[in-house]
Amino acid sequence: MMRKLLTGNGAAAWSARLARADYIPAFPITPQTEIVETLGNWIDNEQLPARMVTLESEHSMITAAGAAAATGVRVFSATSSQGLLYAMEMLYTVAGWRAPFVLVNVSRGLAAPITLEPDHNDIMAARDSGFLQIHCADCQEVLDSVLMAYRLGEDERVRLPVMVNQDGFYLSFTREPVDIPDPGAAARFLPDYDPENIRFRASAPVSQAVAVLGGAPYSYFRYESHLAARQALEVYDEVAADFEAEFGRKREALEAYRTEDAEYLFVQLGSFATKAREAVDRLREAGWAVGLLRPRLFRPLPEEKIRQALAGRKGVAVIDQNLSPGRGGVLHAELASVLFGHADMPSILVSFIGGLGGRDISTEEFFEMARVTRRAVEDGKAPPPRLLYTETELREVRKLQAIANAERADLEKKP
Amino acid sequence: MFGLKADWSLDVQDRYFTIEDYEGAKPRWCTGCGDHGVLTAVHKVCREAQLPPEKIVAVSGIGCSSRLPHYMGTYGFHGLHGRALPFASGVKARRPDLDVWVATGDGDCFSIGGCHWVHALRYNIDMTVLVFDNAVYGLTKKQSSPTSPVGLKTNTHPTGAFLPPLNPLTVTLGVSNVSFVAQVVDWNPLLVYETIKKAHAHRGTSFVRIIQRCPVFVEEVHKDLQNDPSQILLLKHENGIPTNEAVERIYPNQREHDPSDWNAAMEIARNELQVPCGLLYHNPDAPVYDDWSSVGMGMSDEEKIAGINKALDSFSI
């Protein structure tokens, strides 16, 4: 094992190397590019016996990734934001092929307006594609999760592609100390890909083409993908146990932080949960019984674990770094449906939308969310979803609007 | 007499546009980037044609050059990677009165937007397409692009790109209904201006490949070409891009080329030993898609109803 200062992108590249990915279709996009550049450098310097092909778009990249995986090759790729959405058609298709590979998504907000900074709208857009999803909170987790994702996706009970998500900038460009496992240990945990029934044999050619199907068989195969994704819950726990045995790090499907006696919980995905942890510590010092739940596994959603973790709590603050216009936070809606109809579930689930387009969520805002949630419990009524936005920010935007209005008025005065 | 003159000058002077009217935000391209000169030429062509800024729409995809709409004091659209041409087609479809400019690059146009490139040429919608070709992905900081020369060391190919680069001229000329294909190097301001002026004057899709310097990431790519003007083949013709003595003095290798001669254009485009500068192909009579997409624009509601009734009547027994 070696310990190095790595960015999230560096950790992702190392994970592909340790996983002995054989084929890496690539296309640059900020903030992901460093991953494929690092891999390209290793390949060209003969440190990684893989082939990387720079394709002409993410659409072709995911197509090639799925097709290569269907020939029994271990495939790695990475993208972000618009790239992920450009590949959307193929995300659904390759998941339907049941071709396992790992795609690292470096979360970045979506146009328009154009932004380079992170939020989770890109990965949420891929929620129903059939890809499994693991969300990471730090750079070590990125490396660990990719190795686990191969085990998970390649398991014969699952056979689905997996996305590993890390936040752009906050993780992709932030250096943290990362343990890089020995190649031997990585190979023990993650043996070579055994493609089982998709081996190519010249003597027995088999077409992997997917038929055009109508209602009944179509429904059967789509539902089969759902069942495979559900089976991934059990497989994940096995993989996590093996991972802990090999590397000593616990990577649970649902991470709980100081939840033992907590009356109120924050629920959040991704790297901002590390800020939530800090806020939990400070609130605990102030005498509040507060904790944090962070689903690492988002597809499949570990519903039973979530219910167990939330049973008996007074109130929950759900923080979404995404926005479904006309509805609100995706995680909030998902949690509500997980809890509904079960005994002993918290009745107050307050929705907060924050961290869009790289906007920070300050410690003070976590305090405010805890306060709002506690008051909602006292009132017995959850307030409407709330966008985290400060007065200063609003003033800044108003100033810009005033300049724009002045310029417009000036233009209109011209003949 | 005086009264007449005053009326006449009022008509002319009512709206006179200066370069400032076409300028937008201050360009944030790197120092020494070839894009600056092209932008200046675009501003000048707009002034020369006295185009009302509110009738101009500058459209782009993603990349360094795609920042151009920000630097125009006109309507603009900073699009998505590869999509500059469909955006432009959408703008033009039912607003043929607008003057549409497209800024795209070797990544945006030849790679992720490759499909649109081929079809936009065939549609031949009236717009001016400027492809800023620096042979590298610059905005994401130096990865190989479809036009990266063999051996170019980039961050995706540290020991050098190995595939032969795509030849945008032969591809463009190969598309049916292509109507205007020109090439220019960014470092000759007069040629850039004259090329863009000619492109803008053409009715149809004017494709201008601009060989553009990126001194920050791949200075070496065009250094030879800059230092040795004999590598350039200057195309001359009365129907081509106007040149002058100064330009002709710089480029010793010249060829008289009739831009209506497609076969000769293809032969010039295929010769990779020399870099042609000028108008390779021009067909002012190629069908323009605007003529179909704008059908019925001036029709009143009554005329539309009459048209529908006439169509329905054709089914009566």
mmCIF file of all heavy atoms in Angstrom, chain A residues 4 18 27 61 74 88 90 93 113 116 134 147-148 170 209 215 220 235 241-242 244 249 251 293 339 341 356 370:
data_model
loop_
_atom_site.group_PDB
_atom_site.id
_atom_site.type_symbol
_atom_site.label_atom_id
_atom_site.label_comp_id
_atom_site.label_asym_id
_atom_site.label_seq_id
_atom_site.Cartn_x
_atom_site.Cartn_y
_atom_site.Cartn_z
ATOM 1 N N LYS A 4 -0.767 8.583 -0.844
ATOM 2 C CA LYS A 4 -0.390 9.713 -1.704
ATOM 3 C C LYS A 4 -1.437 10.806 -1.604
ATOM 4 O O LYS A 4 -2.603 10.525 -1.303
ATOM 5 C CB LYS A 4 -0.363 9.246 -3.176
ATOM 6 C CG LYS A 4 0.979 8.827 -3.676
ATOM 7 C CD LYS A 4 0.899 8.522 -5.146
ATOM 8 C CE LYS A 4 1.861 9.366 -5.949
ATOM 9 N NZ LYS A 4 2.033 8.897 -7.300
ATOM 10 N N LEU A 18 -5.999 -0.013 -10.862
ATOM 11 C CA LEU A 18 -6.000 -1.161 -9.956
ATOM 12 C C LEU A 18 -7.030 -2.207 -10.386
ATOM 13 O O LEU A 18 -6.866 -3.396 -10.132
ATOM 14 C CB LEU A 18 -6.292 -0.701 -8.518
ATOM 15 C CG LEU A 18 -5.165 0.098 -7.873
ATOM 16 C CD1 LEU A 18 -5.664 0.779 -6.602
ATOM 17 C CD2 LEU A 18 -3.970 -0.802 -7.559
ATOM 18 N N PHE A 27 -13.661 10.930 -23.678
ATOM 19 C CA PHE A 27 -13.957 12.221 -24.301
ATOM 20 C C PHE A 27 -13.791 13.291 -23.224
ATOM 21 O O PHE A 27 -14.340 13.152 -22.147
ATOM 22 C CB PHE A 27 -15.390 12.253 -24.858
ATOM 23 C CG PHE A 27 -15.650 13.458 -25.719
ATOM 24 C CD1 PHE A 27 -15.331 13.437 -27.066
ATOM 25 C CD2 PHE A 27 -16.177 14.620 -25.178
ATOM 26 C CE1 PHE A 27 -15.547 14.561 -27.872
ATOM 27 C CE2 PHE A 27 -16.387 15.739 -25.971
ATOM 28 C CZ PHE A 27 -16.074 15.704 -27.325
ATOM 29 N N MET A 61 -18.888 7.293 -26.909
ATOM 30 C CA MET A 61 -18.063 6.738 -25.836
ATOM 31 C C MET A 61 -18.837 5.684 -25.033
ATOM 32 O O MET A 61 -18.337 4.586 -24.790
ATOM 33 C CB MET A 61 -17.640 7.900 -24.927
ATOM 34 C CG MET A 61 -16.798 7.540 -23.758
ATOM 35 S SD MET A 61 -16.454 9.032 -22.780
ATOM 36 C CE MET A 61 -17.799 8.943 -21.598
ATOM 37 N N ARG A 74 -13.109 -5.772 -19.570
ATOM 38 C CA ARG A 74 -13.376 -4.859 -18.452
ATOM 39 C C ARG A 74 -13.174 -3.433 -18.931
ATOM 40 O O ARG A 74 -12.120 -3.070 -19.433
ATOM 41 C CB ARG A 74 -12.474 -5.158 -17.251
ATOM 42 C CG ARG A 74 -12.848 -4.299 -16.049
ATOM 43 C CD ARG A 74 -12.138 -4.742 -14.787
ATOM 44 N NE ARG A 74 -12.801 -5.866 -14.155
ATOM 45 C CZ ARG A 74 -12.225 -6.652 -13.250
ATOM 46 N NH1 ARG A 74 -10.973 -6.446 -12.901
ATOM 47 N NH2 ARG A 74 -12.895 -7.641 -12.697
ATOM 48 N N MET A 88 -27.231 10.057 -22.789
ATOM 49 C CA MET A 88 -28.410 9.509 -22.091
ATOM 50 C C MET A 88 -29.088 8.360 -22.837
ATOM 51 O O MET A 88 -29.422 7.336 -22.252
ATOM 52 C CB MET A 88 -29.420 10.646 -21.847
ATOM 53 C CG MET A 88 -30.608 10.254 -21.002
ATOM 54 S SD MET A 88 -30.134 9.734 -19.335
ATOM 55 C CE MET A 88 -29.754 11.293 -18.569
ATOM 56 N N MET A 90 -27.854 6.230 -24.746
ATOM 57 C CA MET A 90 -27.076 4.998 -24.647
ATOM 58 C C MET A 90 -26.990 4.472 -23.224
ATOM 59 O O MET A 90 -26.761 3.279 -23.020
ATOM 60 C CB MET A 90 -25.673 5.212 -25.232
ATOM 61 C CG MET A 90 -25.666 5.390 -26.733
ATOM 62 S SD MET A 90 -26.737 4.221 -27.613
ATOM 63 C CE MET A 90 -25.954 2.655 -27.214
ATOM 64 N N THR A 93 -29.729 2.172 -22.995
ATOM 65 C CA THR A 93 -29.531 1.035 -23.905
ATOM 66 C C THR A 93 -28.513 0.041 -23.357
ATOM 67 O O THR A 93 -28.785 -1.155 -23.296
ATOM 68 C CB THR A 93 -29.084 1.560 -25.287
ATOM 69 O OG1 THR A 93 -30.049 2.510 -25.730
ATOM 70 C CG2 THR A 93 -28.987 0.446 -26.297
ATOM 71 N N PRO A 113 -28.556 28.282 -17.258
ATOM 72 C CA PRO A 113 -27.303 28.865 -17.724
ATOM 73 C C PRO A 113 -26.159 27.846 -17.658
ATOM 74 O O PRO A 113 -26.244 26.887 -16.891
ATOM 75 C CB PRO A 113 -27.047 30.010 -16.737
ATOM 76 C CG PRO A 113 -28.272 30.141 -15.898
ATOM 77 C CD PRO A 113 -29.005 28.861 -15.976
ATOM 78 N N LEU A 116 -19.783 25.458 -14.790
ATOM 79 C CA LEU A 116 -18.788 24.390 -14.710
ATOM 80 C C LEU A 116 -18.827 23.748 -13.335
ATOM 81 O O LEU A 116 -18.155 22.766 -13.072
ATOM 82 C CB LEU A 116 -17.381 24.952 -14.959
ATOM 83 C CG LEU A 116 -17.137 25.560 -16.338
ATOM 84 C CD1 LEU A 116 -15.736 26.134 -16.423
ATOM 85 C CD2 LEU A 116 -17.330 24.517 -17.427
ATOM 86 N N ILE A 134 -23.378 4.832 -7.037
ATOM 87 C CA ILE A 134 -22.715 4.989 -5.743
ATOM 88 C C ILE A 134 -22.248 6.442 -5.645
ATOM 89 O O ILE A 134 -21.605 6.947 -6.573
ATOM 90 C CB ILE A 134 -21.510 4.035 -5.601
ATOM 91 C CG1 ILE A 134 -21.970 2.577 -5.725
ATOM 92 C CG2 ILE A 134 -20.798 4.257 -4.270
ATOM 93 C CD1 ILE A 134 -20.837 1.556 -5.717
ATOM 94 N N LEU A 147 -13.574 0.197 -7.239
ATOM 95 C CA LEU A 147 -13.229 -1.224 -7.101
ATOM 96 C C LEU A 147 -14.470 -2.027 -6.702
ATOM 97 O O LEU A 147 -14.741 -3.095 -7.252
ATOM 98 C CB LEU A 147 -12.132 -1.397 -6.048
ATOM 99 C CG LEU A 147 -10.758 -0.818 -6.410
ATOM 100 C CD1 LEU A 147 -9.785 -0.996 -5.259
ATOM 101 C CD2 LEU A 147 -10.209 -1.473 -7.670
ATOM 102 N N MET A 148 -15.230 -1.464 -5.753
ATOM 103 C CA MET A 148 -16.451 -2.164 -5.314
ATOM 104 C C MET A 148 -17.479 -2.231 -6.439
ATOM 105 O O MET A 148 -18.204 -3.222 -6.575
ATOM 106 C CB MET A 148 -17.056 -1.432 -4.105
ATOM 107 C CG MET A 148 -16.200 -1.522 -2.852
ATOM 108 S SD MET A 148 -16.873 -0.527 -1.516
ATOM 109 C CE MET A 148 -18.279 -1.525 -1.058
ATOM 110 N N TYR A 170 -15.133 20.165 -5.747
ATOM 111 C CA TYR A 170 -14.985 19.874 -4.312
ATOM 112 C C TYR A 170 -14.205 18.572 -4.105
ATOM 113 O O TYR A 170 -13.468 18.439 -3.145
ATOM 114 C CB TYR A 170 -16.343 19.802 -3.629
ATOM 115 C CG TYR A 170 -16.990 21.162 -3.528
ATOM 116 C CD1 TYR A 170 -18.029 21.525 -4.383
ATOM 117 C CD2 TYR A 170 -16.540 22.105 -2.608
ATOM 118 C CE1 TYR A 170 -18.610 22.775 -4.319
ATOM 119 C CE2 TYR A 170 -17.114 23.369 -2.529
ATOM 120 C CZ TYR A 170 -18.150 23.698 -3.390
ATOM 121 O OH TYR A 170 -18.721 24.949 -3.336
ATOM 122 N N ALA A 209 -27.031 -9.132 -30.450
ATOM 123 C CA ALA A 209 -27.976 -8.092 -30.846
ATOM 124 C C ALA A 209 -29.242 -8.193 -30.016
ATOM 125 O O ALA A 209 -29.649 -9.275 -29.606
ATOM 126 C CB ALA A 209 -28.311 -8.253 -32.326
ATOM 127 N N GLY A 215 -44.993 -5.515 -26.064
ATOM 128 C CA GLY A 215 -45.449 -5.411 -24.667
ATOM 129 C C GLY A 215 -44.975 -6.467 -23.692
ATOM 130 O O GLY A 215 -44.150 -6.173 -22.815
ATOM 131 N N TYR A 220 -41.161 -7.886 -19.498
ATOM 132 C CA TYR A 220 -40.433 -8.922 -18.759
ATOM 133 C C TYR A 220 -38.969 -8.526 -18.594
ATOM 134 O O TYR A 220 -38.424 -8.544 -17.493
ATOM 135 C CB TYR A 220 -40.554 -10.247 -19.519
ATOM 136 C CG TYR A 220 -39.773 -11.382 -18.879
ATOM 137 C CD1 TYR A 220 -40.369 -12.205 -17.924
ATOM 138 C CD2 TYR A 220 -38.448 -11.625 -19.230
ATOM 139 C CE1 TYR A 220 -39.656 -13.231 -17.322
ATOM 140 C CE2 TYR A 220 -37.718 -12.646 -18.635
ATOM 141 C CZ TYR A 220 -38.330 -13.452 -17.686
ATOM 142 O OH TYR A 220 -37.624 -14.458 -17.094
ATOM 143 N N VAL A 235 -26.002 -8.142 -2.721
ATOM 144 C CA VAL A 235 -24.641 -8.312 -3.243
ATOM 145 C C VAL A 235 -23.740 -7.206 -2.700
ATOM 146 O O VAL A 235 -22.595 -7.434 -2.338
ATOM 147 C CB VAL A 235 -24.647 -8.312 -4.797
ATOM 148 C CG1 VAL A 235 -23.231 -8.413 -5.339
ATOM 149 C CG2 VAL A 235 -25.516 -9.446 -5.327
ATOM 150 N N ALA A 241 -18.488 -6.263 2.836
ATOM 151 C CA ALA A 241 -17.856 -7.091 3.879
ATOM 152 C C ALA A 241 -16.486 -7.566 3.401
ATOM 153 O O ALA A 241 -15.493 -7.504 4.140
ATOM 154 C CB ALA A 241 -18.750 -8.285 4.221
ATOM 155 N N ASP A 242 -16.408 -8.011 2.149
ATOM 156 C CA ASP A 242 -15.115 -8.436 1.583
ATOM 157 C C ASP A 242 -14.135 -7.271 1.523
ATOM 158 O O ASP A 242 -12.943 -7.419 1.774
ATOM 159 C CB ASP A 242 -15.303 -8.981 0.151
ATOM 160 C CG ASP A 242 -15.934 -10.363 0.157
ATOM 161 O OD1 ASP A 242 -16.137 -10.917 1.266
ATOM 162 O OD2 ASP A 242 -16.244 -10.876 -0.937
ATOM 163 N N GLU A 244 -14.044 -4.637 3.457
ATOM 164 C CA GLU A 244 -13.577 -4.317 4.810
ATOM 165 C C GLU A 244 -12.535 -5.334 5.266
ATOM 166 O O GLU A 244 -11.512 -4.977 5.872
ATOM 167 C CB GLU A 244 -14.758 -4.270 5.779
ATOM 168 C CG GLU A 244 -14.361 -3.652 7.108
ATOM 169 C CD GLU A 244 -15.502 -3.640 8.125
ATOM 170 O OE1 GLU A 244 -16.635 -4.028 7.763
ATOM 171 O OE2 GLU A 244 -15.242 -3.267 9.281
ATOM 172 N N ARG A 249 -11.582 -0.848 5.547
ATOM 173 C CA ARG A 249 -12.459 0.326 5.532
ATOM 174 C C ARG A 249 -13.903 -0.112 5.335
ATOM 175 O O ARG A 249 -14.202 -0.900 4.435
ATOM 176 C CB ARG A 249 -12.052 1.296 4.413
ATOM 177 C CG ARG A 249 -10.783 2.060 4.706
ATOM 178 C CD ARG A 249 -10.520 3.131 3.652
ATOM 179 N NE ARG A 249 -10.176 2.578 2.354
ATOM 180 C CZ ARG A 249 -8.943 2.214 1.985
ATOM 181 N NH1 ARG A 249 -7.933 2.346 2.833
ATOM 182 N NH2 ARG A 249 -8.732 1.714 0.793
ATOM 183 N N ARG A 251 -17.468 0.428 4.073
ATOM 184 C CA ARG A 251 -18.131 1.227 3.026
ATOM 185 C C ARG A 251 -19.580 0.796 2.926
ATOM 186 O O ARG A 251 -19.966 0.064 2.004
ATOM 187 C CB ARG A 251 -17.429 1.025 1.677
ATOM 188 C CG ARG A 251 -16.030 1.576 1.607
ATOM 189 C CD ARG A 251 -16.044 3.083 1.720
ATOM 190 N NE ARG A 251 -14.718 3.659 1.607
ATOM 191 C CZ ARG A 251 -14.380 4.804 2.186
ATOM 192 N NH1 ARG A 251 -15.241 5.468 2.951
ATOM 193 N NH2 ARG A 251 -13.174 5.305 2.023
ATOM 194 N N LEU A 293 -27.453 11.040 7.960
ATOM 195 C CA LEU A 293 -27.533 9.811 7.147
ATOM 196 C C LEU A 293 -27.092 10.158 5.731
ATOM 197 O O LEU A 293 -27.550 11.158 5.163
ATOM 198 C CB LEU A 293 -28.969 9.312 7.062
ATOM 199 C CG LEU A 293 -29.504 8.394 8.146
ATOM 200 C CD1 LEU A 293 -30.863 7.879 7.695
ATOM 201 C CD2 LEU A 293 -28.569 7.232 8.432
ATOM 202 N N LEU A 339 -40.755 6.076 3.305
ATOM 203 C CA LEU A 339 -41.283 6.071 4.668
ATOM 204 C C LEU A 339 -42.789 5.836 4.711
ATOM 205 O O LEU A 339 -43.307 5.279 5.679
ATOM 206 C CB LEU A 339 -40.985 7.415 5.355
ATOM 207 C CG LEU A 339 -39.524 7.862 5.416
ATOM 208 C CD1 LEU A 339 -39.377 9.077 6.297
ATOM 209 C CD2 LEU A 339 -38.623 6.742 5.917
ATOM 210 N N GLY A 341 -46.462 4.830 4.907
ATOM 211 C CA GLY A 341 -47.171 3.578 5.149
ATOM 212 C C GLY A 341 -46.460 2.636 6.107
ATOM 213 O O GLY A 341 -46.924 1.523 6.341
ATOM 214 N N LEU A 356 -26.642 24.405 -5.533
ATOM 215 C CA LEU A 356 -26.793 24.312 -6.992
ATOM 216 C C LEU A 356 -25.664 25.090 -7.668
ATOM 217 O O LEU A 356 -25.284 26.166 -7.210
ATOM 218 C CB LEU A 356 -28.144 24.877 -7.434
ATOM 219 C CG LEU A 356 -29.400 24.189 -6.884
ATOM 220 C CD1 LEU A 356 -30.651 24.822 -7.474
ATOM 221 C CD2 LEU A 356 -29.393 22.688 -7.170
ATOM 222 N N ALA A 370 -31.547 22.831 10.896
ATOM 223 C CA ALA A 370 -31.905 22.079 12.110
ATOM 224 C C ALA A 370 -32.998 22.827 12.865
ATOM 225 O O ALA A 370 -33.966 22.221 13.343
ATOM 226 C CB ALA A 370 -30.661 21.903 12.980
#
